[in-house]
Amino acid sequence: MLWLEGMWRRPVSDKARPDGGLARIQREYAGSWVALKNGEVVDARRTPYELVAALHERDITDTTIVRIPGEQEAELIGLG
Amino acid sequence: MEGHDFLVKPLLRPVVVARLIGTRTGSHNLAGLVDSGADHVLAAPWVAQDIGVTPDPNREIRLKIGGSLRWVRFADVTVQLFPPEVGLFEGGYQPELAHEWQAQVGFFTEWDSPPWNLVFGQVGFFDQLTVTFNRDSQALAITHLADFDERFPMGPAAGPPPAPRFRP
């Protein structure tokens, strides 16, 4: 068994900001909880509860749920 | 981030995609932070509801996280860890690809918006797998538990015995 995972990148300045899907999502949804599927955001809400409820209402399952940090947020050590 | 113009190198976070199973399979994949500094596998409160488990009030501890004391209750669940082919962006559910094991997972009793839904700590994750980090490669490698001993057959150097602290 060998799984090689790339790390989740969070840019800290324009100098380090790459182009591409992740960067776009991080810009558009900073501070939000998002549900990702097939490379796109299918829904985004302020809290995970609101997001899961919205997905349930829309009968959407099997997304990946993740929080996009806000650009002005302080760095977290672990869970903060 | 405010005041961080001098930082050019991006922040990187070791994240894996997983799903939990209780009395029912979770509805969604979760982005889990691999955190060697955490003692347990921890999950957000809503996840317990989603997978149909009631964390045990008799298995409760208090943790200090984010400057606050928070209660965590444990439940025994199945953890499914997905390979990189099941990416963060793709979603979907392919249980046949998952590496799966039973773990004691701590669910926060209250936390409206934790920064991560799932944190993989020492007990329940690092005791199941070998995890190798390499920032230069911007990657982490997850291999079977015995891999560490296979790569490093000599055990850690033994230090001198600790000095006696008291005489009985």
Side-chain angles (χ1 to χ4, degrees), chain B residues 3 23 30 33-34 38 47 50 55 57 59 63 67 82 86 92 100 111 118 129 140 153 165:
Chain B
T23 60
L30 305 173
L33 177 71
V34 179
V47 178
D50 186 52
R59 295 161 67 187
L63 301 178
F82 294 103
V86 180
E100 176 176 306
W111 200 337
L118 195 54
L129 304 158
L140 67 154
R165 293 178 182 271

Side-chain angles (χ1 to χ4, degrees), chain A residues 78-79, chain B residues 31-35 38 40-43 108 116-121:
Chain A
L79 274 177
Chain B
L33 177 71
V34 179
D35 186 1
H40 309 281
V41 176
L42 301 170
F108 291 98
W116 297 96
N117 283 315
L118 195 54
V119 172
F120 285 115

